[in-house]
Amino acid sequence: MSYPLWDQLKALKENKWVDLTHTFDSKSPHFSALEEAYIDTISTVPEDGFFVQRWSVATQYGTHIDAPIHFVEHKRYLHELDLKELVLPLIVLDYSKEVAENPDFRLTRQDLLEWEDQHGRIEPDSFVAFRSDWSKRWPNVEQFENKDAEGNPHAPGWALDALQFLLEERGVKSVGHETFDTDASVDVAKHGDLIGERYVLGQDTFQIELLTNLDQLPERGAVIYTISPKPADAPGFPVRAFAITPEKQ
Amino acid sequence: MSYPLWDQLKALKENKWVDLTHTFDSKSPHFSALEEAYIDTISTVPEDGFFVQRWSVATQYGTHIDAPIHFVEHKRYLHELDLKELVLPLIVLDYSKEVAENPDFRLTRQDLLEWEDQHGRIEPDSFVAFRSDWSKRWPNVEQFENKDAEGNPHAPGWALDALQFLLEERGVKSVGHETFDTDASVDVAKHGDLIGERYVLGQDTFQIELLTNLDQLPERGAVIYTISPKPADAPGFPVRAFAITPEKQ
């Protein structure tokens, strides 16, 4: 007997697998409105025969998935997402140079149009990741928050018109980034709200935050898995995002 | 340009994807030595603009992965497992009938030899799941624990000689089951320890507990994914286990 899925798995394992997930602990950078994770040791091998911990963690902690209900009422909870939605063709947009020059960089519709001129049209039903190399600041909280003398953060993000272009004009399924937020800090300050994040989740789709290792991926050709446990009625959770990719060109 | 991994994903999505993970909450059945999960609401959309919870959960809660260090010192933590270890060819051993007749059923080396006589030799580097249909008792705690009048639990499990056969004689990578424990309740009572679980994790490999929906899978031909978030230095965590499978024969 032959088992096609087993053969396919063997072939898949000949590709490179890239972990897009930060290891997290109580000291990890996190969105400022949330508390750190707490870890208690419940039992140990020497004392009890087995080692068990209790982790107390915000649903938006470490590399995590945001379910639609995180920002928009009556949209889907995490456990209502379908498995097949969570495995997608991956497109990586590299704006690491621009961000190195300007941490307040906003990725706009115009940038995407210019990207398409160079790299071709963005495919529907894909996952589009914004590479900023912001993940290289992990686990340094100060560098990650990047506050100025007045305490205002400066981190890059998606402009609303770019997200609308991707989801409505290109039929993209989901987006992800390396920062805490979808929106650039300058846009959050201007609007007093995360208008880009509220828009994405309002489309009843999910997004992934605090990705890492995007610099190990080609602009096209990899597949992303964004898999989380299944707490009931939750707005998100720490996720395991990883990619299977041909070696980077 | 063509992207082979994208084409392969398209083909994968033409198969059936089966979620092997229970949705969990504070009322879910769990190993009796552990506390229930606690869920706090940190912010809500009407009050704060976004919905965030804090989940406080034992590392061995809901459908979960046990890292080697859960039972054996100096073995690997969860974050040290390699992604490629966590996606494996799946073999499902159906002993649901035997368990329906006898909840104290122990799956032994002799049973496996008889299974191989009927179904062929168990392949190396595979994940072997013990289907007992115990998952159908979820989320009823009383039925899941199945205690007698004296308060002693009665649940099926792997006999030590079966696990030794699978890992040493057949070179299997990992095992999983639908119950709280690797060992049958009668063996735990007899030995005063989980000798099967201690053996498996002592091989520096992982296992999956509290699987569900194994009845939707063929005995061979599916691929199992056992993917968890990446807390630092943890002995396990709630996992998302799922299978991609040809339609069941």
Side-chain angles (χ1 to χ4, degrees):
Chain A
M1 278 294 284
S2 103
Y3 303 101
L5 291 170
W6 290 10
D7 297 339
Q8 202 176 42
L9 176 61
K10 212 172 195 176
L12 270 183
K13 288 192 175 176
E14 283 160 17
N15 291 276
K16 187 176 161 194
W17 293 34
V18 178
D19 200 343
L20 306 182
T21 308
H22 291 293
T23 302
F24 65 91
D25 58 24
S26 63
K27 304 273 174 251
S28 297
H30 55 273
F31 179 58
S32 56
L34 307 176
E35 282 186 322
E36 63 194 20
Y38 299 110
I39 304 124
D40 300 309
T41 299
I42 296 177
S43 61
T44 67
V45 173
E47 297 270 325
D48 312 281
F50 47 85
F51 173 32
V52 177
Q53 297 172 321
R54 173 182 283 270
W55 282 72
S56 174
V57 63
T59 45
Q60 272 69 27
Y61 199 88
T63 305
H64 64 269
I65 183 168
D66 290 331
I69 197 121
H70 174 41
F71 263 68
V72 187
E73 292 189 287
H74 314 301
K75 299 286 181 189
R76 288 183 297 168
Y77 290 100
L78 180 58
H79 74 274
E80 295 176 312
L81 300 174
D82 188 73
L83 283 167
K84 285 183 186 175
E85 288 182 73
L86 304 174
V87 188
L88 296 168
L90 176 59
I91 294 172
V92 179
L93 310 174
D94 180 9
Y95 287 91
S96 55
K97 262 190 216 157
E98 288 80 355
V99 169
E101 283 163 19
N102 172 22
D104 286 323
F105 177 77
R106 304 164 65 251
L107 178 47
T108 65
R109 181 177 195 276
Q110 185 57 36
D111 293 318
L112 294 174
L113 290 172
E114 287 167 19
W115 190 91
E116 286 193 334
D117 278 345
Q118 274 204 309
H119 304 279
R121 194 177 165 102
I122 290 169
E123 285 84 352
D125 299 320
S126 56
F127 184 105
V128 178
F130 173 2
R131 174 182 162 197
S132 59
D133 285 356
W134 207 259
S135 59
K136 294 186 192 296
R137 296 167 179 243
W138 188 280
N140 186 313
V141 174
E142 210 170 292
Q143 282 182 32
F144 222 91
E145 294 184 337
N146 197 37
K147 289 182 180 168
D148 61 23
E150 282 79 46
N152 300 310
H154 293 273
W158 301 94
L160 177 62
D161 69 352
L163 296 166
Q164 289 170 328
F165 173 79
L166 289 172
L167 291 168
E168 291 174 43
E169 294 182 58
R170 290 296 176 263
V172 155
K173 174 65 190 161
S174 177
V175 298
H177 39 269
E178 302 178 35
T179 47
F180 292 133
D181 295 326
T182 314
D183 301 72
S185 308
V186 289
D187 276 345
V188 180
K190 184 175 163 193
H191 301 291
D193 190 24
L194 292 153
I195 60 169
E197 182 155 350
R198 198 173 298 284
Y199 166 75
V200 171
L201 300 177
Q203 305 304 302
D204 209 30
T205 196
F206 66 95
Q207 62 166 21
I208 306 292
E209 301 198 298
L210 294 169
L211 287 167
T212 187
N213 291 332
L214 292 175
D215 59 345
Q216 295 181 37
L217 298 175
E219 65 192 35
R220 282 190 176 87
V223 165
I224 189 169
Y225 288 73
T226 60
I227 309 298
S228 80
K230 213 162 56 156
D233 300 337
F237 213 73
V239 75
R240 189 65 163 274
F242 65 99
I244 302 179
T245 179
E247 289 294 327
K248 187 172 176 177
Q249 292 88 333
Chain B
M1 279 291 288
S2 105
Y3 303 101
L5 290 170
W6 289 9
D7 296 340
Q8 202 176 44
L9 176 61
K10 211 170 194 179
L12 270 183
K13 288 192 177 176
E14 283 160 17
N15 292 277
K16 185 175 162 196
W17 294 36
V18 179
D19 201 342
L20 306 181
T21 308
H22 291 293
T23 302
F24 65 91
D25 60 23
S26 64
K27 305 275 174 248
S28 297
H30 56 273
F31 179 59
S32 55
L34 307 177
E35 282 185 322
E36 63 195 20
Y38 298 110
I39 303 123
D40 299 309
T41 299
I42 296 177
S43 61
T44 67
V45 172
E47 296 269 328
D48 312 280
F50 47 84
F51 172 32
V52 177
Q53 297 173 321
R54 173 181 283 271
W55 282 73
S56 174
V57 62
T59 45
Q60 272 68 29
Y61 197 86
T63 306
H64 64 269
I65 182 167
D66 290 331
I69 197 120
H70 175 41
F71 263 70
V72 187
E73 292 188 288
H74 313 302
K75 298 287 182 192
R76 288 183 296 168
Y77 290 100
L78 178 58
H79 73 274
E80 296 176 312
L81 299 174
D82 187 75
L83 283 167
K84 285 184 186 174
E85 290 182 72
L86 304 175
V87 188
L88 296 168
L90 175 60
I91 295 172
V92 179
L93 309 173
D94 180 8
Y95 287 91
S96 56
K97 262 190 217 160
E98 289 79 353
V99 169
E101 284 164 17
N102 172 22
D104 287 322
F105 177 77
R106 304 166 64 249
L107 176 47
T108 65
R109 181 178 193 276
Q110 185 56 38
D111 293 318
L112 293 175
L113 290 171
E114 287 167 19
W115 190 90
E116 285 193 333
D117 278 345
Q118 276 204 306
H119 304 278
R121 192 177 167 103
I122 290 170
E123 285 85 352
D125 299 319
S126 57
F127 184 105
V128 179
F130 172 4
R131 174 182 162 195
S132 59
D133 285 355
W134 207 258
S135 59
K136 295 184 192 295
R137 296 168 179 242
W138 188 280
N140 186 313
V141 174
E142 211 170 289
Q143 283 183 32
F144 222 91
E145 295 183 335
N146 198 36
K147 289 180 179 170
D148 62 24
E150 281 80 46
N152 300 311
H154 293 273
W158 301 94
L160 177 61
D161 69 353
L163 296 166
Q164 290 171 327
F165 173 79
L166 289 172
L167 292 168
E168 292 175 41
E169 294 183 58
R170 289 297 176 263
V172 155
K173 173 65 192 161
S174 177
V175 298
H177 40 268
E178 301 178 36
T179 48
F180 292 133
D181 295 325
T182 315
D183 302 72
S185 309
V186 288
D187 277 344
V188 180
K190 184 175 164 193
H191 299 293
D193 191 23
L194 292 152
I195 59 169
E197 182 155 351
R198 198 172 298 284
Y199 165 76
V200 170
L201 300 178
Q203 305 304 300
D204 209 29
T205 197
F206 68 94
Q207 64 168 20
I208 306 291
E209 300 198 299
L210 295 168
L211 288 166
T212 187
N213 291 333
L214 292 174
D215 60 344
Q216 294 182 37
L217 299 175
E219 67 192 34
R220 281 191 178 87
V223 165
I224 188 171
Y225 289 72
T226 60
I227 308 298
S228 80
K230 213 162 57 157
D233 300 337
F237 213 72
V239 76
R240 190 65 166 273
F242 65 98
I244 302 178
T245 179
E247 289 293 328
K248 188 171 177 176
Q249 291 87 336

Short mmCIF file of all heavy atoms in Angstrom, two decimals, chain A residues 128-159:
data_model
loop_
_atom_site.label_atom_id
_atom_site.label_comp_id
_atom_site.label_asym_id
_atom_site.label_seq_id
_atom_site.Cartn_x
_atom_site.Cartn_y
_atom_site.Cartn_z
N VAL A 128 -0.12 37.91 3.89
CA VAL A 128 0.90 38.90 3.54
C VAL A 128 1.57 39.39 4.83
O VAL A 128 0.91 39.94 5.72
CB VAL A 128 0.31 40.07 2.74
CG1 VAL A 128 1.40 41.10 2.45
CG2 VAL A 128 -0.30 39.55 1.44
N ALA A 129 2.88 39.18 4.91
CA ALA A 129 3.64 39.57 6.10
C ALA A 129 4.50 40.79 5.79
O ALA A 129 5.12 40.88 4.73
CB ALA A 129 4.53 38.42 6.55
N PHE A 130 4.52 41.71 6.73
CA PHE A 130 5.28 42.95 6.63
C PHE A 130 6.59 42.74 7.38
O PHE A 130 6.62 42.68 8.60
CB PHE A 130 4.43 44.06 7.28
CG PHE A 130 5.08 45.41 7.45
CD1 PHE A 130 6.36 45.71 7.01
CD2 PHE A 130 4.36 46.43 8.06
CE1 PHE A 130 6.92 46.96 7.19
CE2 PHE A 130 4.90 47.69 8.24
CZ PHE A 130 6.20 47.95 7.81
N ARG A 131 7.67 42.57 6.61
CA ARG A 131 8.99 42.42 7.23
C ARG A 131 9.59 43.79 7.54
O ARG A 131 9.81 44.59 6.64
CB ARG A 131 9.94 41.64 6.30
CG ARG A 131 11.34 41.59 6.86
CD ARG A 131 12.32 40.88 5.96
NE ARG A 131 13.67 41.25 6.36
CZ ARG A 131 14.76 41.10 5.63
NH1 ARG A 131 14.68 40.55 4.43
NH2 ARG A 131 15.94 41.48 6.08
N SER A 132 9.84 44.04 8.82
CA SER A 132 10.43 45.30 9.25
C SER A 132 11.75 45.08 9.98
O SER A 132 12.47 46.02 10.27
CB SER A 132 9.46 46.03 10.18
OG SER A 132 9.19 45.21 11.32
N ASP A 133 12.05 43.82 10.29
CA ASP A 133 13.18 43.43 11.15
C ASP A 133 13.04 43.98 12.57
O ASP A 133 14.00 43.96 13.35
CB ASP A 133 14.53 43.81 10.53
CG ASP A 133 14.92 42.87 9.39
OD1 ASP A 133 14.17 41.88 9.14
OD2 ASP A 133 15.96 43.10 8.74
N TRP A 134 11.85 44.46 12.92
CA TRP A 134 11.59 44.90 14.29
C TRP A 134 11.79 43.74 15.28
O TRP A 134 12.18 43.95 16.43
CB TRP A 134 10.16 45.44 14.41
CG TRP A 134 9.99 46.48 15.49
CD1 TRP A 134 9.46 46.28 16.74
CD2 TRP A 134 10.37 47.86 15.42
NE1 TRP A 134 9.48 47.46 17.45
CE2 TRP A 134 10.03 48.45 16.66
CE3 TRP A 134 10.95 48.65 14.44
CZ2 TRP A 134 10.26 49.81 16.94
CZ3 TRP A 134 11.18 49.99 14.71
CH2 TRP A 134 10.84 50.55 15.94
N SER A 135 11.57 42.54 14.82
CA SER A 135 11.73 41.34 15.67
C SER A 135 13.15 41.20 16.21
O SER A 135 13.36 40.54 17.24
CB SER A 135 11.37 40.09 14.88
OG SER A 135 12.20 39.97 13.74
N LYS A 136 14.13 41.81 15.55
CA LYS A 136 15.52 41.69 16.02
C LYS A 136 15.73 42.44 17.33
O LYS A 136 16.75 42.26 18.00
CB LYS A 136 16.47 42.19 14.93
CG LYS A 136 16.45 41.30 13.68
CD LYS A 136 17.51 41.71 12.68
CE LYS A 136 17.31 41.04 11.31
NZ LYS A 136 17.45 39.58 11.35
N ARG A 137 14.78 43.30 17.70
CA ARG A 137 14.88 44.01 18.98
C ARG A 137 14.47 43.13 20.16
O ARG A 137 14.71 43.45 21.31
CB ARG A 137 13.98 45.25 18.93
CG ARG A 137 14.46 46.26 17.87
CD ARG A 137 13.43 47.34 17.60
NE ARG A 137 13.93 48.28 16.60
CZ ARG A 137 14.15 49.58 16.82
NH1 ARG A 137 13.84 50.11 17.97
NH2 ARG A 137 14.64 50.34 15.87
N TRP A 138 13.74 42.06 19.91
CA TRP A 138 13.33 41.09 20.94
C TRP A 138 14.56 40.46 21.55
O TRP A 138 15.47 40.13 20.80
CB TRP A 138 12.49 40.01 20.26
CG TRP A 138 11.83 39.04 21.18
CD1 TRP A 138 12.40 37.95 21.79
CD2 TRP A 138 10.45 39.04 21.60
NE1 TRP A 138 11.48 37.28 22.53
CE2 TRP A 138 10.27 37.93 22.44
CE3 TRP A 138 9.36 39.87 21.33
CZ2 TRP A 138 9.03 37.61 23.02
CZ3 TRP A 138 8.14 39.56 21.92
CH2 TRP A 138 7.99 38.44 22.75
N PRO A 139 14.65 40.23 22.87
CA PRO A 139 13.62 40.49 23.90
C PRO A 139 13.85 41.80 24.65
O PRO A 139 13.44 41.92 25.80
CB PRO A 139 13.81 39.31 24.85
CG PRO A 139 15.30 39.05 24.80
CD PRO A 139 15.77 39.47 23.42
N ASN A 140 14.51 42.78 24.03
CA ASN A 140 14.79 44.05 24.70
C ASN A 140 13.53 44.94 24.68
O ASN A 140 13.17 45.51 23.65
CB ASN A 140 15.97 44.74 24.00
CG ASN A 140 16.41 45.99 24.72
OD1 ASN A 140 15.59 46.83 25.09
ND2 ASN A 140 17.72 46.12 24.94
N VAL A 141 12.91 45.08 25.84
CA VAL A 141 11.63 45.80 25.93
C VAL A 141 11.78 47.25 25.49
O VAL A 141 10.95 47.79 24.75
CB VAL A 141 11.06 45.72 27.37
CG1 VAL A 141 9.80 46.59 27.50
CG2 VAL A 141 10.75 44.28 27.75
N GLU A 142 12.85 47.88 25.96
CA GLU A 142 13.06 49.31 25.66
C GLU A 142 13.21 49.53 24.15
O GLU A 142 12.60 50.43 23.58
CB GLU A 142 14.32 49.77 26.38
CG GLU A 142 14.31 51.23 26.78
CD GLU A 142 15.47 51.54 27.70
OE1 GLU A 142 15.47 51.04 28.87
OE2 GLU A 142 16.39 52.23 27.26
N GLN A 143 14.04 48.70 23.52
CA GLN A 143 14.23 48.83 22.08
C GLN A 143 12.94 48.51 21.32
O GLN A 143 12.65 49.09 20.28
CB GLN A 143 15.32 47.88 21.59
CG GLN A 143 16.74 48.37 21.88
CD GLN A 143 17.78 47.41 21.32
OE1 GLN A 143 17.55 46.77 20.29
NE2 GLN A 143 18.89 47.30 22.01
N PHE A 144 12.18 47.55 21.85
CA PHE A 144 10.94 47.15 21.19
C PHE A 144 9.90 48.27 21.25
O PHE A 144 9.24 48.57 20.26
CB PHE A 144 10.39 45.87 21.83
CG PHE A 144 9.87 44.91 20.80
CD1 PHE A 144 10.70 43.94 20.26
CD2 PHE A 144 8.57 44.98 20.34
CE1 PHE A 144 10.25 43.07 19.28
CE2 PHE A 144 8.10 44.13 19.37
CZ PHE A 144 8.94 43.17 18.83
N GLU A 145 9.80 48.92 22.42
CA GLU A 145 8.82 50.01 22.57
C GLU A 145 9.31 51.27 21.86
O GLU A 145 8.50 52.04 21.34
CB GLU A 145 8.57 50.28 24.06
CG GLU A 145 7.89 49.10 24.75
CD GLU A 145 7.54 49.39 26.20
OE1 GLU A 145 8.18 50.27 26.81
OE2 GLU A 145 6.63 48.71 26.73
N ASN A 146 10.61 51.51 21.89
CA ASN A 146 11.24 52.62 21.15
C ASN A 146 10.57 53.97 21.45
O ASN A 146 10.12 54.67 20.54
CB ASN A 146 11.21 52.31 19.64
CG ASN A 146 12.18 53.18 18.86
OD1 ASN A 146 13.28 53.47 19.34
ND2 ASN A 146 11.79 53.59 17.68
N LYS A 147 10.54 54.30 22.74
CA LYS A 147 9.90 55.57 23.15
C LYS A 147 10.86 56.74 23.04
O LYS A 147 12.06 56.60 23.30
CB LYS A 147 9.40 55.44 24.59
CG LYS A 147 8.19 54.52 24.73
CD LYS A 147 7.68 54.43 26.16
CE LYS A 147 6.48 53.51 26.27
NZ LYS A 147 6.14 53.18 27.66
N ASP A 148 10.32 57.90 22.71
CA ASP A 148 11.14 59.11 22.68
C ASP A 148 11.18 59.74 24.08
O ASP A 148 10.65 59.18 25.04
CB ASP A 148 10.61 60.09 21.61
CG ASP A 148 9.19 60.55 21.89
OD1 ASP A 148 8.76 60.50 23.07
OD2 ASP A 148 8.48 60.94 20.94
N ALA A 149 11.84 60.91 24.16
CA ALA A 149 12.03 61.57 25.46
C ALA A 149 10.69 61.88 26.14
O ALA A 149 10.61 61.93 27.37
CB ALA A 149 12.86 62.84 25.27
N GLU A 150 9.65 62.08 25.33
CA GLU A 150 8.31 62.36 25.90
C GLU A 150 7.52 61.09 26.23
O GLU A 150 6.36 61.16 26.65
CB GLU A 150 7.48 63.23 24.94
CG GLU A 150 7.84 64.71 24.94
CD GLU A 150 9.09 65.00 24.13
OE1 GLU A 150 9.20 64.47 23.00
OE2 GLU A 150 10.00 65.70 24.63
N GLY A 151 8.13 59.93 25.97
CA GLY A 151 7.44 58.67 26.28
C GLY A 151 6.52 58.19 25.17
O GLY A 151 5.74 57.26 25.37
N ASN A 152 6.61 58.79 24.01
CA ASN A 152 5.78 58.35 22.88
C ASN A 152 6.51 57.27 22.08
O ASN A 152 7.66 57.47 21.68
CB ASN A 152 5.48 59.53 21.96
CG ASN A 152 4.74 60.63 22.68
OD1 ASN A 152 3.75 60.38 23.35
ND2 ASN A 152 5.26 61.86 22.59
N PRO A 153 5.83 56.14 21.83
CA PRO A 153 6.47 55.06 21.09
C PRO A 153 6.61 55.41 19.61
O PRO A 153 5.82 56.20 19.08
CB PRO A 153 5.51 53.89 21.28
CG PRO A 153 4.19 54.51 21.54
CD PRO A 153 4.46 55.82 22.22
N HIS A 154 7.62 54.83 18.99
CA HIS A 154 7.82 55.00 17.55
C HIS A 154 8.07 53.64 16.93
O HIS A 154 9.17 53.11 17.01
CB HIS A 154 8.98 55.96 17.27
CG HIS A 154 8.69 57.35 17.72
ND1 HIS A 154 8.04 58.27 16.91
CD2 HIS A 154 8.89 57.97 18.91
CE1 HIS A 154 7.87 59.40 17.58
NE2 HIS A 154 8.38 59.25 18.80
N ALA A 155 7.04 53.07 16.35
CA ALA A 155 7.17 51.76 15.67
C ALA A 155 6.41 51.84 14.34
O ALA A 155 5.42 52.57 14.23
CB ALA A 155 6.60 50.65 16.55
N PRO A 156 6.88 51.11 13.35
CA PRO A 156 6.26 51.17 12.03
C PRO A 156 4.94 50.40 11.99
O PRO A 156 4.62 49.66 12.94
CB PRO A 156 7.29 50.49 11.14
CG PRO A 156 7.94 49.47 12.04
CD PRO A 156 7.99 50.14 13.40
N GLY A 157 4.20 50.53 10.91
CA GLY A 157 2.94 49.80 10.81
C GLY A 157 2.30 49.94 9.44
O GLY A 157 2.85 50.60 8.55
N TRP A 158 1.16 49.28 9.31
CA TRP A 158 0.38 49.32 8.08
C TRP A 158 -0.49 50.57 8.07
O TRP A 158 -1.18 50.85 9.05
CB TRP A 158 -0.59 48.14 8.02
CG TRP A 158 -0.06 46.76 8.07
CD1 TRP A 158 0.09 45.98 9.17
CD2 TRP A 158 0.33 45.94 6.95
NE1 TRP A 158 0.55 44.75 8.82
CE2 TRP A 158 0.71 44.69 7.46
CE3 TRP A 158 0.39 46.16 5.57
CZ2 TRP A 158 1.15 43.65 6.65
CZ3 TRP A 158 0.83 45.12 4.76
CH2 TRP A 158 1.20 43.89 5.29
N ALA A 159 -0.52 51.29 6.96
CA ALA A 159 -1.52 52.35 6.80
C ALA A 159 -2.85 51.71 6.42
O ALA A 159 -2.88 50.65 5.79
CB ALA A 159 -1.07 53.33 5.71
#
